[in-house]
Amino acid sequence: MILKNAEGPMSIRQERAAQNREELLSAALQIFRRHGINAPLQLIIDEAQVGRATFYRNFADRRELVLALMEQALNRLERHAQKYAEFPDGFIRLIQNHIHNLPYLTALMEYWRVISREDPAMVAIYARRDAILQPLIDTAIQHQICRPDLSAKDYAMITAILRASLQGVTERDQHDLAERAVDLLLNGIRA
């Protein structure tokens, strides 16, 4: 049986393979959030309810899994950036939106434990991230919403501040801490 997707015909086997990959990525986010990025890969396999061979058909190792998560995060970032590009304060809106995307930030907060920042794949990821963010930053600077020396490289510090909200025990605690972090970030600590 042949199914159709946005790219054209897809067999049931291809559809299932794509679904397995998405289940593995989703499971990895959950496991990394609960146990850290060095959690046993078997926990991810069990969470996704797939076989070990299915994992290794999709990802050669932890590095490839983390790179796939980073790529997924960049795609999400790009979609949000496009959505906010029409607003002078689009960069601020993007940061505020991160409050609702904590699960995606949490899994990636320790990527450097698996992949060196100098790894060519990471260098390419940073370049793409900067290319996505810079237009929003330029617009915010042009409208005097952000300080003129703000750069896409500062984004890592901004998300690091948000990651501090992960100290919350429950998802609600984390959400509340993220809201507070964004408020302090955007409005400062001055009276």
Side-chain angles (χ1 to χ4, degrees), residues 99-125:
I99 294 168
H100 309 291
N101 289 293
L102 284 176
Y104 303 109
L105 292 176
T106 60
L108 305 176
M109 68 186 223
E110 296 182 309
Y111 72 87
W112 53 270
R113 294 184 190 274
V114 176
I115 307 170
S116 165
R117 289 179 171 101
E118 289 78 35
D119 183 299
M122 288 306 300
V123 171
I125 284 171

Side-chain angles (χ1 to χ4, degrees), residues 39-81:
L41 293 177
Q42 189 61 48
L43 289 176
I44 296 167
I45 293 165
D46 293 345
E47 179 83 10
Q49 298 180 353
V50 299
R52 202 164 176 78
T54 299
F55 177 87
Y56 286 105
R57 265 194 303 277
N58 284 279
F59 309 104
D61 54 21
R62 184 182 307 273
R63 178 185 176 278
E64 276 194 24
L65 173 63
V66 171
L67 285 173
L69 287 171
M70 298 291 285
E71 187 66 31
Q72 192 179 58
L74 276 177
N75 291 339
R76 189 176 304 102
L77 178 66
E78 188 169 41
R79 283 191 307 274
H80 289 297

Side-chain angles (χ1 to χ4, degrees), residues 8-23:
M10 181 182 265
S11 71
I12 290 176
R13 175 180 272 164
Q14 290 169 319
E15 183 80 19
R16 183 65 189 143
Q19 184 178 352
N20 284 341
R21 182 178 173 83
E22 288 306 309
E23 288 172 0

